[in-house]
Every structure is written in structure tokens, then in C-alpha cells.
Amino acid sequence: MAYFITFEGIEGCGKSTQAEILSRALQAETGCQVVATREPGGCPIANKIRAILLDADNNALVPLAELLLYAAARAQHVAEVIRPALAEGKIVLCDRFTDATTAYQGHGRSLDLALIENLAQLATGGLTPDLTILLDCPEEVGIKRAMARINAASGAREERFEQESLRFHQAVRKGYLKLAAENPARFIVIDGTRGIQETAEAIHNAVVPRIPQG
Ligand code: ADP
């Protein structure tokens, strides 16, 4: 049955690791088809916008242009991937969505929160996740993990946000916690400082009872 789950948190909190583990578990246990995707990106056109957004050479990108690029990528991703999958009754797991824009461009870059909300409505056509997992961890822990991952990976170094100050990431983390406090029915906050398996179990135990049956 259609269900839309998003993963949120600062860089290196473990979102992509946990989204992959949960995706495999839900596929095996529910018999439902699971679509795992991510933002920015998730489809070829949005992936091109991702390359612009995450390239550290683009440090001249102004906050408003950054915000509009996220909105453009999201509009394409929602129309091309997320809405069709939900219409087919699939479970969609998305690594970052509109809350990331509120946390990063709103709380991190101090852009107007009402403008961000209006753009989110426009880009998604009002689509809101059924459930959002916020993996919370201190910025020092997240950035250390994210830089280790980037240094070990081959290909493009997607590190424009990792290069921001710890203060920026602290503002983003606080923004996420505020969003979770304001939307308690939609958010589950999970401690992201524990080991991968322990975190996966906590997520599994929190998510599975909430997936609608049939
Ligand atoms: P995110 O998607 O939130 O940026 P990742 O899932 O890519 O984070 O994790 C960043 C790096 O940290 C990866 O190399 C991953 O293997 C590692 N990692 C993820 N979760 C944990 C954890 N709970 N403990 C230690 N390392 C982790």
C-alpha cells in the first residue's frame, strides 16, 4: 500500500546507509514494492541539477539560486518518480525531501521560511511524507563520517555542504529538531550516534508498525 517515508538529518548522520537497510527489509517483509530514491536527484534531469548543487567549485552559488535549483530538481523528481510510484501503491523511501530545504536553506542560510514553504508546495503539489525519520547526531560526528566517505569514494567529490562551518551544520541540526518538535505525528527522531545495526533496529521497530496493511 502506498506509503511515503523520508530520511533527514545532517551530513553523515547515516541517512543513505539506513535508507538502504530499511528498503531491503521492507521489500522482504511487506511483499510491497519499495522504491528507494534521494534528493537532490532521483532521476536524470534532477541528477544534473544535483551535480551543480553539490560541486564545491560552485561556491559562488547565491542562497536564492540554490533554493530555486532545489525546487526545480524536486518538481521533476516528484512528477517523474515519487507520484507515479505512490500511484502504483509502492512504498517510497526518499533520502532527503522538503524538510532538508527548510533546515539547510531556511535555518542554515536564513532564507525566509514562508518563501521556502510556498516553494515546497509549488514543487511537490502539496505532497507531504507520511513519515519522516530524523537521524540526529552532533555535527562533529556527522561531518567526520561524511568526509571519510567522500575521501574513500571515487568520482565527483560532492562536498559543497561538507565544507560549510560546524556552526552552519549546528544551525541545520537545530532546524531539523525544531521541525520534528512542530510535527510530532509525522517525525520519528532516532539517535544517529549508535552503531549501524543498532540504529537500523531502532528504525525498523519504529517504522514497521506504522506501515498500513493491505
Ligand atoms: P548520510 O547519507 O547521512 O550523509 P551515510 O549513510 O552516507 O550518511 O554515512 C556516512 C558515512 O558514515 C558512510 O561511510 C557510512 O558507512 C558511515 N556510517 C553510517 N552510519 C554509521 C554509524 N551509525 N556509525 C558509524 N559509521 C556510520
Side-chain angles (χ1 to χ4, degrees):
M1 191 174 171
Y3 200 65
F4 183 27
I5 304 174
T6 55
F7 278 79
E8 297 283 1
I10 63 166
E11 316 298 325
C13 67
K15 293 178 305 301
S16 29
T17 304
Q18 294 300 334
E20 198 185 317
I21 295 173
L22 184 67
S23 165
R24 270 189 265 118
L26 291 182
Q27 186 99 43
E29 291 164 24
T30 65
C32 239
Q33 261 190 289
V34 179
V35 173
T37 186
R38 69 171 180 181
E39 289 205 346
C43 57
I45 293 170
N47 277 333
K48 290 184 181 172
I49 301 175
R50 176 188 179 92
I52 297 171
L53 282 165
L54 303 188
D55 181 350
D57 284 346
N58 290 338
N59 54 17
L61 196 60
V62 297
L64 184 60
E66 178 181 282
L67 175 68
L68 294 170
L69 284 171
Y70 271 105
R74 182 161 298 135
Q76 186 69 33
H77 183 219
V78 167
E80 195 176 325
V81 177
I82 301 179
R83 279 201 186 274
L86 293 172
E88 287 168 12
K90 295 175 183 168
I91 295 174
V92 176
L93 287 188
C94 191
D95 180 348
R96 292 199 186 286
F97 197 57
T98 48
D99 297 309
T101 311
T102 305
Y104 279 76
Q105 282 69 45
H107 295 277
R109 305 245 192 259
S110 304
L111 288 177
D112 182 55
L113 291 173
L115 168 67
I116 290 173
E117 173 61 30
N118 286 339
L119 269 176
Q121 285 286 326
L122 189 67
T124 64
L127 180 68
T128 307
D130 295 300
L131 179 63
T132 298
I133 312 292
L134 172 58
L135 276 169
D136 180 55
C137 76
E139 46 282 5
E140 294 86 353
V141 174
I143 297 304
K144 202 168 157 193
R145 285 185 194 157
M147 287 316 294
R149 179 200 59 208
I150 287 165
N151 289 332
S154 54
R157 289 177 67 90
E158 295 182 329
E159 60 182 352
R160 196 166 66 87
F161 285 94
E162 282 78 359
Q163 290 188 355
E164 290 286 347
S165 65
L166 279 179
R167 223 168 132 183
F168 173 84
H169 294 289
Q170 191 180 43
V172 173
R173 182 188 183 197
K174 275 193 184 161
Y176 270 129
L177 289 170
K178 188 163 184 282
L179 274 167
E182 289 166 354
N183 299 279
R186 172 163 70 86
F187 270 81
I188 294 174
V189 183
I190 301 276
D191 175 5
T193 62
R194 294 172 293 179
I196 291 176
Q197 282 319 318
E198 208 183 328
T199 307
E201 269 171 43
I203 292 173
H204 188 273
N205 293 343
V207 170
V208 168
R210 298 183 58 151
I211 305 258
Q213 302 297 310

Coordinates of all heavy atoms in Angstrom, one line a residue, residues 7 13 31 42 59-60 84-85 113 120 127-129 141 152-153 157 160 165 173 180 182-183 187 190 201 203 208 210:
F7 N 14.0 10.3 4.9 CA 15.1 10.3 5.8 C 15.7 11.6 5.8 O 16.0 12.2 4.8 CB 16.1 9.2 5.4 CG 15.8 7.8 5.8 CD1 14.9 7.1 5.1 CD2 16.4 7.3 7.0 CE1 14.6 5.8 5.5 CE2 16.0 6.0 7.4 CZ 15.1 5.3 6.6
C13 N 25.0 11.7 9.0 CA 24.2 11.1 10.2 C 23.8 9.6 9.9 O 23.4 8.9 10.8 CB 22.9 11.9 10.4 SG 21.7 11.8 9.1
G31 N 6.3 -7.5 1.3 CA 5.9 -8.0 0.0 C 5.5 -6.8 -1.0 O 5.1 -7.0 -2.1
G42 N 17.5 11.7 -8.1 CA 16.5 10.7 -8.2 C 16.0 10.4 -9.6 O 15.2 9.5 -9.8
N59 N 31.1 27.5 -5.3 CA 30.8 28.2 -4.0 C 30.3 29.7 -4.2 O 30.0 30.4 -3.3 CB 32.1 28.2 -3.1 CG 33.3 28.7 -3.8 OD1 33.2 29.4 -4.9 ND2 34.5 28.4 -3.3
A60 N 30.2 30.1 -5.5 CA 29.6 31.4 -5.8 C 28.1 31.4 -5.9 O 27.5 32.4 -6.0 CB 30.2 31.9 -7.1
P84 N 4.3 8.9 -9.4 CA 3.9 7.6 -10.1 C 4.1 6.4 -9.3 O 3.2 5.5 -9.3 CB 4.9 7.6 -11.3 CG 5.3 9.0 -11.5 CD 5.3 9.7 -10.2
A85 N 5.1 6.3 -8.5 CA 5.3 5.1 -7.6 C 4.2 5.0 -6.6 O 3.7 3.9 -6.3 CB 6.7 5.2 -6.9
L113 N 11.4 31.5 5.7 CA 10.8 30.2 5.9 C 9.4 30.1 5.2 O 9.0 29.1 4.7 CB 10.6 29.9 7.4 CG 11.9 29.6 8.2 CD1 11.6 29.5 9.7 CD2 12.6 28.4 7.6
A120 N 7.9 24.8 -1.6 CA 7.8 23.4 -1.3 C 6.4 22.9 -1.8 O 6.3 21.9 -2.5 CB 7.9 23.0 0.1
L127 N 2.5 17.5 -1.8 CA 2.8 16.1 -1.3 C 3.7 16.2 -0.1 O 4.7 16.8 0.0 CB 3.6 15.3 -2.4 CG 4.0 13.9 -2.0 CD1 2.8 13.0 -1.9 CD2 5.0 13.4 -3.1
T128 N 3.2 15.6 1.0 CA 3.9 15.6 2.3 C 4.2 14.1 2.7 O 3.4 13.2 2.4 CB 3.0 16.2 3.4 OG1 2.5 17.4 3.0 CG2 3.7 16.3 4.7
P129 N 5.4 13.9 3.2 CA 5.7 12.5 3.6 C 4.7 11.9 4.7 O 4.2 12.7 5.5 CB 7.1 12.6 4.2 CG 7.6 13.8 3.7 CD 6.5 14.8 3.5
V141 N 30.3 14.6 14.7 CA 30.2 13.2 14.4 C 29.9 13.0 12.9 O 30.5 12.3 12.1 CB 29.2 12.5 15.3 CG1 29.0 11.1 14.8 CG2 29.6 12.6 16.7
A152 N 37.0 8.3 0.6 CA 37.2 6.9 0.2 C 36.5 6.7 -1.1 O 36.8 5.7 -1.8 CB 36.6 6.0 1.3
A153 N 35.6 7.6 -1.6 CA 34.9 7.3 -2.8 C 35.7 7.8 -4.0 O 36.5 8.7 -3.9 CB 33.6 8.1 -2.7
R157 N 33.6 14.7 -6.2 CA 33.6 15.0 -4.8 C 32.4 15.9 -4.5 O 32.4 17.1 -4.7 CB 34.9 15.7 -4.3 CG 36.1 14.7 -4.3 CD 37.3 15.4 -3.9 NE 37.3 15.9 -2.5 CZ 37.8 15.1 -1.5 NH1 38.2 13.9 -1.7 NH2 37.7 15.6 -0.3
R160 N 30.1 20.3 -1.3 CA 29.9 21.7 -1.1 C 29.4 22.0 0.3 O 29.7 22.9 0.9 CB 29.0 22.3 -2.2 CG 29.1 23.9 -2.3 CD 28.4 24.4 -3.5 NE 27.0 24.2 -3.6 CZ 26.1 25.0 -3.0 NH1 26.5 26.1 -2.4 NH2 24.8 24.7 -3.1
S165 N 30.8 25.6 7.6 CA 31.4 25.6 9.0 C 30.5 24.7 9.9 O 29.4 24.4 9.6 CB 31.3 27.0 9.6 OG 29.9 27.4 9.7
R173 N 21.1 21.4 12.2 CA 20.6 20.3 13.1 C 19.5 20.9 14.0 O 18.5 20.2 14.2 CB 21.8 19.9 14.0 CG 21.4 18.8 15.0 CD 22.6 18.5 16.0 NE 22.2 17.4 16.9 CZ 22.8 17.2 18.0 NH1 23.8 17.9 18.4 NH2 22.4 16.2 18.8
A180 N 10.9 18.7 13.8 CA 10.4 17.4 14.5 C 9.5 17.8 15.6 O 8.4 17.2 15.8 CB 11.6 16.6 14.9
E182 N 7.7 20.4 15.9 CA 6.5 21.1 15.4 C 5.6 20.1 14.7 O 4.4 20.3 14.5 CB 6.8 22.2 14.4 CG 7.4 23.4 15.0 CD 8.1 24.3 14.0 OE1 8.2 24.0 12.8 OE2 8.5 25.4 14.4
N183 N 6.1 18.9 14.3 CA 5.3 17.9 13.5 C 5.5 16.6 14.2 O 6.0 15.6 13.5 CB 5.8 17.9 12.1 CG 5.7 19.2 11.3 OD1 4.6 19.5 10.8 ND2 6.8 19.9 11.3
F187 N 7.1 13.0 12.4 CA 8.5 12.7 12.7 C 8.8 11.6 13.7 O 8.1 11.6 14.7 CB 9.2 14.0 13.2 CG 9.7 14.9 12.1 CD1 8.9 15.8 11.5 CD2 11.1 14.9 11.8 CE1 9.4 16.6 10.5 CE2 11.6 15.7 10.8 CZ 10.7 16.6 10.1
I190 N 15.6 9.6 15.7 CA 16.4 8.4 16.1 C 17.8 8.9 16.4 O 18.3 9.7 15.6 CB 16.4 7.4 14.9 CG1 15.0 6.9 14.6 CG2 17.4 6.2 15.2 CD1 14.4 5.8 15.4
E201 N 17.9 -1.3 13.8 CA 16.9 -2.0 14.6 C 15.9 -0.9 15.1 O 14.7 -1.2 15.1 CB 17.5 -2.7 15.7 CG 17.8 -4.2 15.4 CD 18.6 -4.9 16.4 OE1 18.3 -4.7 17.6 OE2 19.6 -5.6 16.1
I203 N 15.2 2.0 13.9 CA 14.3 2.5 12.8 C 13.3 1.4 12.4 O 12.1 1.7 12.3 CB 15.2 2.8 11.6 CG1 16.1 4.0 11.9 CG2 14.4 3.1 10.4 CD1 17.1 4.4 10.9
V208 N 7.9 -0.2 11.1 CA 7.1 -1.3 10.7 C 5.7 -1.2 11.2 O 4.7 -1.4 10.4 CB 7.8 -2.6 11.0 CG1 6.8 -3.8 10.8 CG2 9.0 -2.8 10.1
R210 N 3.9 1.2 11.6 CA 3.2 2.4 11.0 C 2.8 2.1 9.6 O 2.1 2.9 9.0 CB 4.0 3.6 11.2 CG 4.2 3.9 12.7 CD 4.9 5.2 12.9 NE 4.4 6.4 12.4 CZ 4.5 7.6 12.9 NH1 5.1 7.7 14.1 NH2 4.0 8.7 12.3

